[in-house]
Amino acid sequence: MKLNVNGEQVEIPNTVEKVSDLLEHLGINEKVAIVELNANILQKADHAATKLTNGDRVEIVHFVGGG
């Protein structure tokens, strides 16, 4: 499946079906992340239930520590 993630076209394995799967695939499932799917901000509680489809636009913002 092809998704537009943070402005970049990426090919995602077919095993990635939901937003929570995408976060895990990208290695940021343990971090605090804000996810916008097709211009709609998702609640964290909805990540596991929200399905992805080919061509979806996903914006992910996560926090990075530093000093």
Side-chain angles (χ1 to χ4, degrees), residues 10 37 66:
V10 294
L37 177 62

Side-chain angles (χ1 to χ4, degrees), residues 37-58:
L37 177 62
N38 298 322
N40 295 307
I41 295 175
L42 298 176
Q43 298 296 318
K44 184 174 181 168
D46 296 330
H47 291 181
T50 304
K51 290 193 170 201
L52 296 167
T53 59
N54 195 47
D56 277 345
R57 290 178 300 123
V58 182

Side-chain angles (χ1 to χ4, degrees), residues 13-40:
N14 291 334
T15 56
V16 175
E17 297 178 345
K18 299 180 181 174
V19 171
S20 58
D21 299 333
L22 177 63
L23 294 176
E24 185 175 339
H25 176 75
L26 297 174
I28 57 176
N29 58 317
E30 299 297 321
K31 298 179 180 180
V32 175
I34 306 300
V35 180
E36 182 183 279
L37 177 62
N38 298 322
N40 295 307

